[in-house]
């Protein structure tokens, strides 16, 4: 009796997916003081005074501005913590997250 052994000719390619990234977005409002927005950006996102000013002004003029990009967990945690910082002082400042295309 003949026995045949078959072996796969090629090794299966192991693909490692890159984790999807999420944008943290700063949303403008009419009530939060500009200096407070800058302070939160510096505290939560480790921005310089200059960077924070620029992001705040962009959100103020355009309605919203991308602050930074992180993995989902980090983006959601930072957005929630920055939003809470404002809420504690009664400001309606909002940070949201959105997946990158
Ligand atoms: N628009 C606010 C003001 O004039 C300042 C502000 C800027 C608030 C950016 C939120 O995301 C924001 N006091």
């Amino acid at each position: 009796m003949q026995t045949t052994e078959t072996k796969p000719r090629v090794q299966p390619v192991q693909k490692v997916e890159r984790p999807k990234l999420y944008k943290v977005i700063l949303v403008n409002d009419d009530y939060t003081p500009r200096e407070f927005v800058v302070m939160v950006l510096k505290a939560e996102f480790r921005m310089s005074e200059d960077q924070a000013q620029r992001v705040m002004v962009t959100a103020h003029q355009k309605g919203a501005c991308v602050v930074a990009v992180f993995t989902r967990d980090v983006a959601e945690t930072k957005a929630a913590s920055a939003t809470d910082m404002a809420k504690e002082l009664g400001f309606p400042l909002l940070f949201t997250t959105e997946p990158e295309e």
Side-chain angles (χ1 to χ4, degrees), residues 58-76:
T58 304
H60 176 75
Q61 291 176 342
K62 301 199 167 173
C65 181
V66 175
V67 177
V69 171
F70 302 102
T71 53
R72 184 177 184 171
D73 256 26
V74 176
E76 285 176 353

Side-chain angles (χ1 to χ4, degrees), residues 25-62:
I25 297 161
L26 169 65
V27 181
N28 187 38
D29 67 73
D30 291 337
Y31 305 101
T32 309
R34 286 167 170 244
E35 313 74 58
F36 183 79
V37 179
V38 169
M39 191 273 278
V40 171
L41 288 170
K42 285 163 72 176
E44 190 62 47
F45 299 96
R46 301 173 147 271
M47 287 187 168
S48 67
E49 175 73 29
D50 227 53
Q51 286 176 302
Q53 283 284 349
R54 260 186 274 223
V55 167
M56 180 277 292
V57 168
T58 304
H60 176 75
Q61 291 176 342
K62 301 199 167 173

